Amino acid sequence: MSFDPNLLHNNGHSGFANGTSGALRETGVIEKLLASYGFIQCTERQARLFFHCSQYSGNLQDLKVGDDVEFEVSSDRRTGKPIAVKLLKVKPEILPEERITGQVVCAAPLNLENKSGLKPSSPGQTSGSVCYERNGEVFYLTYTPEDVDGNVQLETGDKVSFSMETNKHTGAVNAHNIVLVKKKQGRCQGVVCAMKEAFGFIERGDLVKEIFFHYSEFKGNLDTLQPGDDVEFTIKERNGKEVATEVKLLAQGTVIFEDVSIEQFDGTVTKIIPKVSSKTQTDPLPGRIKVNFAISKELPFGDKDTRSKVTLLEGDHVRFNISTDRRDKLERATNIEILTDSFELTEESRELGVIAAMRDGFGFIKCVDRDARMFFHFSEIMDSLQLHISDEVEFTVVPDVLSAQRNHAIRIKKLPKGTVSFHTQSEQRYFGVVEKEAAGSISKSTSPAKSKEKNGELPPSAEDFSNSNTESTLQDANQFLHKTKDSEEGVIAYDEAGIKMTVPYHIKELEGCPIPQLGDKIEFSICEVKRTGLQSAVSIKILNRSPNTKRLVGYVAALKDNFGFIETSQHDQEIFFHYSEFSGDVDELEVGDAVEYNSSKGKGNKVSAEKVAKSTTVNDPSDEVYPTVYTGKVLRPLRSVDPQQAEYQGLVEVTEEGSDEKGEVYPFGIISLANKTDCLQKGETIKFQLCTVTQTGQKLAYNATTLRRGTVDCVKDQFGFINYEVGDGKKLFFRVNEVLDGVELQPGDEVEFSVILNQRTGKCSACNVFRVSEGQKLVAAPRPDRLVHRLKSITLDDASAPKLVVVRQPKGPDNTKGFTVERKIRQAGVID
């Protein structure tokens, strides 16, 4: 298309004499620009004007679509249509752009073709809208995808920043240069890490950060929410702070903070976690482990990253996994365990010992190289093993954190049996003579020490508990300690290479053998303590008794709380002895055991036994037992059964069936009973044999057994009573577990049984209960006809009928009283 300027109505000249034009100038925007012409969209009116490029006064290369221009309007001489002439480019005024923060209300679809300047893919392209708040009012602005900076797809709820622009054609204001500030926050996940009275905190799964939540925001039963539960929530701002809302419980294991490597790595501890945290310590992962990768690096770790609570020391060789936090990609060492060769590689000073005592959460080790026992916590036991008394262990001794004067054992490792030895024992056997008798004591059976020694636990000393650093431990120690009577060592003289030597010995080294007396010839070995080098005689064996030594023999007749009685070899009296005079474990001593002892007189010329020990050399009267079995009747029981009688021995009279004549009467003692715990009562019928006492030639009843029968009076849950008179009682107690063959007894059953006397309480009870025959079964009698007739004739309306009166209303599980549902009369044959 060509254009001739002479075709204008004014022939290219102004209508005024001075050459100025009187026409009004308008403004517009270059809408279309081709090689030699273009079109302008007027700003002040709805018009689209043609212009020729020759009408632009300036460099045509600077003119672009969208530029603002100023022009005059003329008409084309050929067509008469208005055209724009005398174009001037208007330079826009650059003003500081105000940025407004708002939120996307309705997102516009992203159209990539429009971004490239091509035509929209669909003529019905819709725009989006944003809103912002100003002075308490909310305003809405439209925008198109071209107004969004960058190739970003906005979504409803996104936080954006934009400037306002006025459309020159329509005068409408829209959002321009939109920049995404923050994407809309969706549902987040996390783990409840703390709970207070009315609120709690959640560790977020997307950031290394905790967020507050109020219990009113939890959607569910608050009683089921606990620290460590996985939850999801929505983040909102309140008073300028982020809070979690709409908190809901998730399945356990939904939220995963970190990824743990399958592969394990070896490293060296370069920095340990301090036992006592300081106020300046802010690093949650204060420990460090050096790993030799292609490039050496240090990994942090915390107190929860070790497999056990065993103390780690610098230089330890450890094995671990690497954990990578999904939120900030931080790597740390976890599942840390000490390698078995760590002690050898670090040349750590290790000590040996034996577990001597164990309490709730702590214990003591008897050390090979130390006098005092070493305190330890169960958390320091390696390999998660359970230790027991007398287990052999190795350990490391370190000063206590709170008190450097106290030591305790850490990193305790169990050793095979036989590894730890406190002393060395000579293979050579020595022969010598007792120059000084040993005196000792054993704590009574009911004392705490007694029960602990039986279990292999030795009572600790005060020095043992001085190693603990907690007040509660010291309180336990005061209750745990007890005093025992000091033992006095004996002395043995022997010759070695022509030189007279002496060596001490102790009562505890006798191991139940008879106590050596002054002048006795003995055989022994020598034991030397590694820690102190002290020597003592062990494995003592008596070869010859001294002629001046006189030991008495007898049998244990009774055992009380802390003392007992011995039946003499003549079986005619009993002698008192205290448990402190017994050489051995009192708990292993039983009624009827043969013992040897020395007789002594105390205050008031009362005779008692001392230096009591078990004996296997006592002449048993059963060596001269007559085979004839007699039936007899107990005339007098032992004094242990009836403490009121003056004589110790019991008496039994021989009886014959069908004869009223009195038979021979024979004495009996504790050794006469077949069952030493049996309690023969006056008037009971027994079977027995006779034997001759070697020392006196007296005939004595022997192997006495009872013939007791009675009927079951009643049976409770775990016990019952038999109609049998013992002492002042008309009925005899028995326990259900004493019934033989597991028979379930019923009242009226006839039974045979033995009677035993509790030496400590003095009460008798039945044992070895055997059912001989069943009693008559009780049959419930039917109701009398008059009562049956009376019950059938009673109605609810009968005033004379018996009634129940509620004295106290029942209480339900929800603390409500009374019946909430009204009771209805059931119709016969009708099912509700």
Side-chain angles (χ1 to χ4, degrees):
M1 179 179 180
S2 62
F3 173 74
D4 186 1
N6 295 323
L7 295 179
L8 295 174
H9 283 291
N10 55 7
N11 294 323
H13 302 282
S14 70
F16 298 91
N18 58 2
T20 62
S21 174
L24 295 176
R25 295 185 67 80
E26 296 184 20
T27 57
V29 179
I30 301 296
E31 184 186 56
K32 189 174 182 180
L33 183 62
L34 299 179
S36 59
Y37 66 94
F39 291 90
I40 298 173
Q41 178 68 45
C42 297
T43 303
E44 289 82 2
R45 56 193 175 95
Q46 290 290 336
R48 187 168 180 264
L49 301 179
F50 169 86
F51 75 93
H52 195 273
C53 291
S54 62
Q55 293 296 315
Y56 176 67
S57 58
N59 188 359
L60 193 61
Q61 299 296 326
D62 296 336
L63 194 62
K64 297 180 180 178
V65 174
D67 286 346
D68 293 335
V69 293
E70 188 181 45
F71 57 90
E72 292 181 4
V73 179
S74 181
S75 59
D76 190 339
R77 184 176 299 177
R78 290 185 301 182
T79 63
K81 293 182 179 181
I83 60 175
V85 297
K86 299 181 181 180
L87 276 67
L88 293 176
K89 185 176 181 181
V90 179
K91 295 183 179 180
E93 182 180 2
I94 301 176
L95 299 175
E97 189 179 56
E98 180 186 5
R99 301 295 295 178
I100 301 173
T101 301
Q103 187 176 352
V104 177
V105 177
C106 180
L110 180 63
N111 192 341
L112 299 177
E113 292 184 352
N114 287 351
K115 301 293 286 185
S116 62
L118 300 178
K119 291 183 179 181
S121 59
S122 61
Q125 177 69 48
T126 60
S127 61
S129 62
V130 296
C131 70
Y132 67 97
E133 183 181 359
R134 185 70 58 86
N135 296 328
E137 296 186 55
V138 179
F139 299 90
Y140 294 86
L141 300 175
T142 60
Y143 78 95
T144 61
E146 290 79 9
D147 294 319
V148 182
D149 290 350
N151 187 17
V152 178
Q153 173 66 50
L154 297 181
E155 296 180 359
T156 302
D158 289 348
K159 187 176 181 180
V160 293
S161 165
F162 57 90
S163 59
M164 291 191 294
E165 182 185 51
T166 304
N167 191 309
K168 296 178 181 179
H169 304 294
T170 64
V173 180
N174 61 339
H176 185 60
N177 295 336
I178 302 174
V179 177
L180 177 64
V181 175
K182 186 178 181 181
K183 292 291 291 181
K184 174 188 175 182
Q185 186 68 49
R187 295 287 286 174
C188 296
Q189 295 181 344
V191 175
V192 178
C193 59
M195 295 183 68
K196 306 297 183 182
E197 291 184 0
F199 60 90
F201 292 91
I202 300 172
E203 185 175 358
R204 293 173 57 172
D206 56 341
L207 297 173
V208 184
K209 185 179 180 181
E210 294 181 1
I211 187 170
F212 169 91
F213 77 98
H214 195 272
Y215 289 165
S216 60
E217 293 292 343
F218 180 69
K219 308 299 181 183
N221 185 3
L222 189 62
D223 294 336
T224 62
L225 189 64
Q226 297 178 354
D229 287 345
D230 295 350
V231 293
E232 68 172 0
F233 54 92
T234 301
I235 298 178
K236 290 186 179 180
E237 282 193 10
R238 290 179 181 171
N239 299 326
K241 295 183 179 179
E242 290 184 338
V243 297
T245 61
E246 301 178 14
V247 182
K248 293 183 180 180
L249 197 63
L250 295 177
Q252 200 69 20
T254 303
V255 182
I256 301 176
F257 289 114
E258 56 193 14
D259 298 314
V260 180
S261 65
I262 300 176
E263 181 183 0
Q264 288 188 315
F265 303 89
D266 294 347
T268 305
V269 177
T270 57
K271 183 181 177 181
I272 62 174
I273 301 174
K275 288 289 185 181
V276 180
S277 58
S278 61
K279 295 182 179 179
T280 58
Q281 178 65 38
T282 58
D283 189 358
L285 303 173
R288 296 291 184 272
I289 294 178
K290 184 178 180 181
V291 193
N292 294 323
F293 291 142
I295 300 177
S296 296
K297 62 184 296 187
E298 283 191 344
L299 295 176
F301 67 92
D303 56 354
K304 295 182 179 180
D305 289 318
T306 55
R307 287 190 180 273
S308 65
K309 297 298 181 182
V310 176
T311 302
L312 288 179
L313 299 178
E314 292 185 3
D316 279 348
H317 290 248
V318 294
R319 181 162 292 165
F320 57 91
N321 300 94
I322 295 180
S323 172
T324 305
D325 198 308
R326 292 183 176 183
R327 299 168 292 180
D328 57 1
K329 306 304 178 185
L330 174 66
E331 292 183 339
R332 78 173 196 278
T334 189
N335 298 332
I336 304 169
E337 56 182 352
I338 304 175
L339 295 176
T340 54
D341 61 348
S342 179
F343 303 122
E344 301 175 359
L345 298 175
T346 58
E347 298 182 355
E348 182 177 331
S349 178
R350 303 282 284 173
E351 297 189 19
L352 302 177
V354 174
I355 302 296
M358 297 185 73
R359 299 286 286 174
D360 294 335
F362 67 92
F364 293 90
I365 300 175
K366 183 180 179 181
C367 307
V368 172
D369 301 321
R370 296 175 185 262
D371 292 332
R373 298 180 184 181
M374 195 60 58
F375 174 87
F376 73 94
H377 277 285
F378 286 177
S379 59
E380 292 292 343
I381 301 174
M382 300 183 64
D383 302 327
S384 301
L385 296 177
Q386 185 175 2
L387 295 182
H388 302 87
I389 301 297
S390 76
D391 280 349
E392 301 175 12
V393 293
E394 71 171 5
F395 53 93
T396 302
V397 177
V398 296
D400 192 271
V401 177
L402 301 179
S403 176
Q405 297 178 351
R406 297 174 179 173
N407 295 328
H408 64 274
I410 62 172
R411 303 148 72 92
I412 301 167
K413 183 179 179 181
K414 186 176 180 180
L415 298 176
K417 286 289 184 183
T419 305
V420 179
S421 176
F422 290 89
H423 55 266
T424 56
Q425 183 172 332
S426 65
E427 297 181 359
Q428 180 182 355
R429 297 287 288 175
Y430 297 87
F431 300 92
V433 178
V434 177
E435 283 193 346
K436 179 182 177 183
E437 295 182 11
S441 65
I442 302 296
S443 299
K444 59 185 178 181
S445 178
T446 56
S447 68
K450 182 66 198 168
S451 59
K452 294 180 182 300
E453 290 171 6
K454 185 176 180 179
N455 295 327
E457 178 178 349
L458 299 178
S461 63
E463 293 179 350
D464 299 335
F465 286 94
S466 66
N467 290 323
S468 74
N469 54 14
T470 61
E471 183 178 354
S472 62
T473 303
L474 293 176
Q475 291 175 355
D476 289 341
N478 293 331
Q479 299 175 2
F480 188 62
L481 293 176
H482 60 277
K483 297 180 181 179
T484 56
K485 187 177 177 182
D486 295 333
S487 61
E488 184 179 354
E489 63 185 18
V491 178
I492 299 173
Y494 68 100
D495 290 335
E496 185 176 7
I499 301 175
K500 182 180 179 180
M501 308 287 290
T502 58
V503 62
Y505 75 96
H506 300 85
I507 292 292
K508 64 181 181 180
E509 301 294 345
L510 299 179
E511 300 178 356
C513 73
I515 298 176
Q517 304 294 314
L518 187 66
D520 287 351
K521 293 183 180 180
I522 59 175
E523 181 183 4
F524 61 94
S525 299
I526 294 180
C527 173
E528 181 176 333
V529 180
K530 290 183 179 180
R531 182 176 68 254
T532 60
L534 296 177
Q535 294 182 340
S536 61
V538 296
S539 303
I540 299 172
K541 179 181 179 182
I542 299 177
L543 299 178
N544 294 313
R545 284 287 190 184
S546 171
N548 298 326
T549 301
K550 184 179 180 181
R551 295 281 284 174
L552 301 177
V553 295
Y555 301 89
V556 177
L559 294 172
K560 304 297 182 180
D561 285 341
N562 51 14
F563 62 92
F565 292 92
I566 299 174
E567 181 182 288
T568 62
S569 58
Q570 288 80 19
H571 311 287
D572 57 353
Q573 61 178 340
E574 59 183 357
I575 298 179
F576 169 89
F577 78 98
H578 195 273
Y579 288 170
S580 60
E581 294 293 341
F582 180 71
S583 173
D585 190 348
V586 178
D587 287 341
E588 296 179 358
L589 194 62
E590 297 180 357
V591 175
D593 284 349
V595 294
E596 64 177 17
Y597 60 95
N598 290 344
S599 178
S600 65
K601 290 186 178 181
K603 295 181 180 180
N605 290 327
K606 292 183 178 180
V607 180
S608 63
E610 62 180 16
K611 299 181 181 178
V612 182
K614 278 190 176 184
S615 175
T616 57
T617 60
V618 178
N619 292 328
D620 195 330
S622 61
D623 292 340
E624 301 179 24
V625 178
Y626 299 98
T628 306
V629 179
Y630 299 91
T631 301
K633 181 180 180 181
V634 177
L635 298 180
R636 185 178 70 197
L638 293 174
R639 187 158 58 191
S640 59
V641 177
D642 184 8
Q644 303 299 326
Q645 67 185 31
E647 298 82 2
Y648 166 72
Q649 282 183 325
L651 295 178
V652 58
E653 179 185 12
V654 177
T655 60
E656 296 182 3
E657 293 185 8
S659 176
D660 297 334
E661 296 182 2
K662 293 185 178 181
E664 294 288 335
V665 178
Y666 298 99
F668 69 91
I670 192 68
I671 199 66
S672 303
L673 305 180
N675 181 5
K676 302 299 187 292
T677 60
D678 205 346
C679 177
L680 296 185
Q681 301 290 326
K682 181 179 179 180
E684 288 186 326
T685 301
I686 62 173
K687 289 184 177 181
F688 64 95
Q689 296 171 270
L690 293 176
C691 70
T692 302
V693 179
T694 305
Q695 296 182 3
T696 62
Q698 181 186 21
K699 288 186 177 181
L700 189 73
Y702 193 68
N703 282 337
T705 58
T706 59
L707 298 174
R708 297 188 181 96
R709 284 197 177 189
T711 58
V712 177
D713 177 72
C714 64
V715 179
K716 305 297 184 181
D717 184 17
Q718 297 295 327
F719 63 92
F721 291 92
I722 300 173
N723 293 316
Y724 190 82
E725 184 175 351
V726 177
D728 297 333
K730 301 294 184 181
K731 297 178 183 180
L732 184 64
F733 172 88
F734 74 93
R735 294 189 179 276
V736 173
N737 56 12
E738 291 288 349
V739 180
L740 300 178
D741 302 328
V743 176
E744 186 175 350
L745 296 180
Q746 300 293 335
D749 289 350
E750 186 178 8
V751 292
E752 288 184 353
F753 52 90
S754 299
V755 177
I756 59 174
L757 174 66
N758 189 318
Q759 298 281 355
R760 307 196 189 282
T761 64
K763 294 182 179 181
C764 295
S765 62
C767 68
N768 300 327
V769 182
F770 174 74
R771 185 170 67 183
V772 178
S773 62
E774 295 186 17
Q776 294 182 353
K777 301 298 182 181
L778 298 178
V779 180
R783 287 182 176 180
D785 294 338
R786 58 182 181 83
L787 290 180
V788 175
H789 177 73
R790 172 65 174 162
L791 291 174
K792 289 181 178 180
S793 62
I794 291 177
T795 63
L796 295 177
D797 298 332
D798 189 355
S800 62
K803 298 182 181 294
L804 294 178
V805 179
V806 178
V807 178
R808 182 179 61 193
Q809 291 285 356
K811 182 183 291 185
D814 56 351
N815 292 326
T816 59
K817 293 184 178 180
F819 296 100
T820 56
V821 180
E822 182 181 359
R823 179 173 290 181
K824 298 180 181 179
I825 301 176
R826 180 177 176 273
Q827 299 291 333
V830 178
I831 300 177
D832 295 336

